[in-house]
Structure formats: C-alpha cells, structure tokens
C-alpha cells in the first residue's frame, strides 16, 4: 500500500517576497502571456525554473535547464528560498469559485512525499495516457535541478474522513501562508511539524491505494529519473531521495473535488453537412432541437439547453451539439447496443460519454480516425462552453460537441480496474500551484 513521508521542504522566504508574486500554475498550463506576466512579477518567480525562456544562443552549457539550476542555487544562497529545519507535512486548502457560477467551495488536502511505485505494483494507478514530449522536457529539468517544484495531484479514499478531521483541526489553530492566483483561487498552506499528527496521517495513508488525478507526465518522469539513478548507483536504494516524489493528497470522500468537462470542436472536415451527419446517427441517438429567433431568444434557449444537458435523467446518456446556429441534444436510444457498436471497447469504457462521442460520432459517423485525433488535425479542445459556441459562430469550427464531466467515482473505479481514459477526459479544477513547497534531493 501507499508509503508517505514528511520532508524538509524548501519554501519561499516571505520576508523577502510576496507569495502571490513568485508561484505559478503547473508548467503545462502556462501560456506565453502568463509566462510574460510571471517574469515581470518578480525576479524570483518560479517561472525561471518551471518554464524558462529559450534563447537563439542556447548551448549545451547555457540553456533553459542550466539556467533553471543556477536560479535555484542562487535563490537558496541568497535566502530567498529556505529549507525548513524540521520534516513536516503541509496542509493545503484551495478556496475557489465553480466556473460559471458564484458558488465557492474549498478543497482540502495535504502535501507530503510519496514513494514512487511502478504501476505493476498496483499501489499507484493512472487514468490517462501520456505523451513522450512533455516527459523528455521534465526529465531534463529534473536532471539539472534535482528538485520537484510542482505537485502531483493524488486521490485516496477515506469514507470516515479521519485525515480530513486532522487537517481541519490544524487549519483552525493558526494563520496560513496565502496566495491568490489569476483565477481568483485562494491557496492556503499550513506547515505541520507535530510528530503525533504526522504519524497518524502516515499510518492512515498506509492502507491506501493512490490514483493520479493530475500530473501523469510528472509522475512518469519521476519514475524514469529514479530508474536512471538506480542504474547509476548499481542498487535499489529504496531510502534514496529520488525514490520519492512530492505529492498532494485529496480524499475522494471529502468536499470540494470538482472535475470540469472538456468540450470538442470539430474543424477542417471536407464536404461536411449537418443534415447528412444527423441522418447517419439517427438510429443510435434521438435528437432534440432548441429553436430560437433573435439574440434575446437565443440567450433564453441557450440557458434551457445548457440546463437540460446538465440535468439528464438518471442512466440517460446525453451529448450536446451546436452546429449551423442550432442547439441539439443527442440522447442515446434505449435500444442502442453499445456492445455491438463498440465490441473492442471494455464495458466500463462504454459508460463514458467521451468514449461514446469519440467512437460513435467522431470516428464512425464523421470519419475522424484516432490518429487524426492524436495529431489534432480535426479536433480542438475547449473547457468553456461559451468559447466553444463562439468558435462555431466565428467559423473557426464546424461543430461543437458539449459534454458533461466525468465523475470522480468513475475516474477512481476505472483507474483501479486498470482502465485508461482517453486524453482530455478529465479536468480537475482548480490546479495545484507550483512553488508552494519544493522537494530538493540534495
């Protein structure tokens, strides 16, 4: 089962910097504009390490990775980053607004080290496929910096909420370090050095299996680096620092977990015709159109369409579509035989709307092959429904397919069963900030 450990984290010295000015979103969520803003915010912003700017003059001795290594060493020497004197865990709360609403929630977890385990050991489970490019980049960065700066988002299941009660007690006793990010998410951090509390959390986690919610590329990078170091040392060395990685743990039974859907935009199809497409899927889906006239009516109809998409009847499979200026709900017919329609797909996968969309609508009905999806020749991903509709209105896409989110229980159950979801199936919100704690091997 899972092994977790307290550690002596490096953290920003708040007498030298404002936390808001130095932390970043995860590296794969940082746009060029965000990169510029982070760079301007502070000379000590983690962007210099997390995602440095390449230069035309880069060389083997001077590049984004060597500059990241130098920045970390300089900040430690200058006292901008300081190592905690004692090993601890770090309670981490995120207070956020559910996108598109005024509802605020709080997600409650904690940061600690977790032992790196091969998937075959069935202690840590993935739920997504990974790509080689991001792993190569992160591995080179890890080789130079020997530091984990970002968080692996891990799920565990504790229906009795024993750990939640402990971390809530910690949070009630003192003021946290606090940062507010560009998405109006408030991140709060409490270090915990109390040995009895740490021991109780370690003991409670020892019965757990872990599911990676976010950070698959970073986890597999950490495994690759571990294997490199094992080979170089000539031994397993399970107590070596590189045998562990920094992780943030959240209880699937706790409040605040949120998965957002990732909608699909279809583009670049030759001779596409909405009517012909609908005829091809008519034997599988019942279509309900939402007609409107004029901009005022459109807003009312859109809200009704959106509400109906989110409030499908229990056990009803519903996908949304927007094409030709018209909203449509596609309801899977009750007599549709998914085993016959998707014989090569595992039964658990057939229960996912995103698999239904890709196999039946995109692949079978529109002729978009899995290779074309991987290459993003015909598919663009969009989290915001309004942005997806605008792309169709502005003729940057031919169809928007709109999805409900995958449930947390679905993700965990499928991961534990060894099933891997299609890419872009889950979007856990909000993201975990990089730079709140750093785990350095030295």
């Amino acid at each position: 089962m899972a092994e977790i450990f307290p550690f002596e984290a490096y953290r920003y010295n708040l007498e030298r910097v404002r936390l808001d000015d130095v932390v970043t979103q995860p590296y794969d969520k940082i746009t060029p504009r965000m990169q510029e803003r982070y760079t301007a915010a502070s000379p000590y912003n983690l962007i210099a390490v997390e995602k440095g700017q390449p230069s035309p003059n880069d060389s083997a001795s001077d590049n984004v990775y060597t500059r990241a290594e130098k920045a970390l060493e300089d900040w430690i020497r200058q006292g901008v980053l300081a190592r905690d004197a004692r090993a601890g865990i770090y309670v981490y709360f995120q207070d956020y607004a559910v996108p598109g609403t005024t509802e605020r929630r709080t997600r409650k977890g904690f940061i600690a080290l977790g032992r790196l385990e091969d998937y075959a050991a069935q202690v840590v489970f993935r739920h997504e496929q990974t790509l080689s490019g991001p792993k190569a980049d992160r591995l080179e960065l890890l080789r130079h910096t020997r530091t984990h700066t970002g968080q692996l988002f891990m799920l565990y299941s504790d229906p009795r909420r024993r750990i939640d009660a402990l971390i809530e007690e910690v949070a009630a006793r003192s003021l946290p370090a606090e940062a507010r990010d560009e998405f109006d998410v408030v991140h709060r951090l409490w270090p915990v050095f109390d040995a009895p509390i740490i021991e109780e959390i370690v003991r409670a986690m020892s019965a757990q299996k872990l599911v990676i919610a976010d950070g698959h590329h970073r986890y597999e990078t950490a495994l690759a680096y571990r294997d490199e170091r094992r080979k170089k040392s000539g031994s397993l060395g399970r107590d070596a620092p590189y045998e562990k990685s920094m992780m943030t743990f959240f209880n699937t039974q706790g409040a605040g977990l949120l998965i957002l859907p990732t909608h699909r935009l279809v583009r670049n199809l030759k001779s596409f015709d909405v009517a012909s497409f609908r005829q091809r899927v008519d034997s599988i889906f019942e279509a309900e159109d939402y007609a409107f006239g004029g901009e005022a009516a459109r807003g009312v109809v859109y809200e009704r369409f959106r509400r109906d998409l989110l409030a499908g009847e229990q056990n009803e499979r519903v996908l949304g579509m927007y094409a030709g200026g018209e909203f449509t709900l596609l309801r899977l017919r009750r007599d549709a035989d998914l085993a016959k329609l998707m014989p090569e797909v595992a039964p658990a996968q057939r229960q996912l709307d995103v698999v239904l969309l890709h196999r039946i609508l995109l692949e079978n009905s529109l002729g978009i092959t899995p290779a074309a999806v991987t290459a993003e020749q015909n598919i663009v991903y969009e989290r915001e429904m309004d942005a997806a509709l605008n792309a169709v209105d502005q003729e940057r896409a031919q169809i928007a397919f709109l999805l409900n989110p995958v449930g947390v229980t679905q993700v965990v159950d499928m991961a534990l069963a060894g099933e891997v979801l299609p890419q872009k199936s889950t979007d856990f919100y909000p993201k975990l900030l990089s730079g709140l704690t750093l785990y350095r091997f030295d």
Side-chain angles (χ1 to χ4, degrees), residues 372-413:
V373 171
T374 301
E376 298 189 14
Q377 294 174 2
N378 302 105
I379 302 297
V380 176
Y381 302 94
E382 178 57 63
R383 192 173 78 187
E384 299 295 335
M385 189 180 293
D386 289 346
L389 302 180
N390 288 338
V392 176
D393 288 338
Q394 296 169 11
E395 299 184 351
R396 291 182 285 111
Q398 293 155 299
I399 317 174
F401 286 110
L402 309 165
L403 293 163
N404 281 310
V406 179
V408 174
T409 301
Q410 280 183 298
V411 172
V412 171
D413 288 349

Side-chain angles (χ1 to χ4, degrees), residues 202-376:
V202 169
R203 187 164 52 250
M205 289 297 295
S206 66
Q208 293 292 331
K209 293 180 180 293
L210 304 175
V211 173
I212 304 171
D214 210 350
H216 290 76
H217 289 93
R218 280 166 283 166
Y219 187 82
E220 293 178 16
T221 296
L223 285 175
Y225 183 77
R226 178 205 66 180
D227 292 345
E228 275 189 5
R229 294 294 299 268
R230 281 181 175 180
K231 186 175 181 180
K232 187 174 181 179
S233 68
S235 67
L236 287 178
R238 283 176 63 82
D239 291 329
Y242 50 78
E243 294 283 335
K244 309 175 185 78
S245 184
M246 187 168 61
M247 303 177 183
T248 306
F249 302 90
F250 293 97
N251 183 11
T252 59
Q253 309 297 315
L257 281 177
L258 176 67
I259 301 178
L260 299 177
T262 302
H263 308 298
R264 270 61 172 166
L265 297 173
V266 176
R267 61 180 184 174
N268 301 331
L269 293 179
K270 296 179 180 178
S271 305
F272 169 71
D273 178 70
V274 175
S276 298
F277 165 72
R278 290 183 54 158
Q279 286 180 352
R280 289 195 293 273
V281 303
D282 182 63
S283 63
I284 305 171
F285 292 91
E286 296 176 351
E288 179 183 354
D289 295 322
Y290 289 68
F292 59 87
E295 285 302 314
R298 172 190 164 113
V300 173
V301 171
Y302 169 48
E303 287 305 318
R304 182 162 59 88
F305 163 78
R306 183 171 183 154
R307 183 185 66 243
D308 291 351
L309 173 63
L310 295 172
E313 295 178 9
Q314 191 173 9
N315 300 323
E316 185 180 46
R317 305 289 295 280
V318 182
L319 304 175
M321 184 177 84
Y322 181 67
E326 189 169 59
F327 301 107
T328 304
L329 283 184
L330 299 174
R331 289 188 171 88
L332 184 68
R333 293 185 180 274
R334 296 188 183 279
D335 60 353
D337 188 342
L338 295 184
K340 185 178 291 186
L341 291 167
M342 299 184 285
E344 76 288 1
V345 177
Q349 294 265 7
R350 294 181 201 134
Q351 302 307 309
L352 295 174
D353 289 349
V354 67
V355 173
L356 194 64
L357 168 61
H358 276 255
R359 293 303 184 113
I360 304 298
L361 298 181
L362 300 184
E363 190 173 341
N364 295 352
S365 302
L366 292 174
I368 301 173
T369 66
V373 171
T374 301
E376 298 189 14

Side-chain angles (χ1 to χ4, degrees), residues 90-250:
Y90 300 84
V91 172
Y92 180 20
F93 286 9
Q94 295 171 290
D95 179 77
Y96 66 96
V98 177
T101 76
T102 57
E103 177 192 356
R104 292 198 74 88
R105 299 183 184 177
T106 301
R107 190 165 67 189
K108 302 174 182 180
F110 67 95
I111 302 169
L113 299 186
R115 182 175 296 284
L116 292 165
E117 300 278 7
D118 295 318
Y119 295 138
Q122 295 196 318
V123 174
V124 175
F125 296 79
R126 62 178 179 164
H127 80 268
E128 279 187 353
Q129 298 282 8
T130 56
L131 302 173
S132 58
K135 288 189 285 188
D137 166 62
R138 293 296 99 180
L139 182 57
E140 194 63 27
L141 182 64
L142 192 54
R143 286 169 179 156
H144 281 80
T145 62
R146 304 171 305 283
T147 303
H148 290 296
T149 56
Q151 303 295 335
L152 297 172
F153 189 153
M154 312 297 279
L155 299 174
Y156 69 95
S157 183
D158 176 18
R160 292 171 56 191
R161 301 187 69 245
R162 294 166 297 173
I163 296 174
D164 289 338
L166 286 171
I167 62 178
E168 287 168 359
E169 180 184 334
V170 168
R173 289 201 308 234
S174 62
L175 294 176
E178 187 172 296
R180 185 182 295 269
D181 70 20
E182 56 266 66
F183 302 106
D184 196 31
V185 180
V186 181
H187 304 259
R188 298 185 173 99
L189 192 77
W190 292 264
V192 180
F193 304 115
D194 190 318
I197 293 178
I198 293 172
E199 290 168 6
E200 190 166 349
I201 292 175
V202 169
R203 187 164 52 250
M205 289 297 295
S206 66
Q208 293 292 331
K209 293 180 180 293
L210 304 175
V211 173
I212 304 171
D214 210 350
H216 290 76
H217 289 93
R218 280 166 283 166
Y219 187 82
E220 293 178 16
T221 296
L223 285 175
Y225 183 77
R226 178 205 66 180
D227 292 345
E228 275 189 5
R229 294 294 299 268
R230 281 181 175 180
K231 186 175 181 180
K232 187 174 181 179
S233 68
S235 67
L236 287 178
R238 283 176 63 82
D239 291 329
Y242 50 78
E243 294 283 335
K244 309 175 185 78
S245 184
M246 187 168 61
M247 303 177 183
T248 306
F249 302 90
F250 293 97

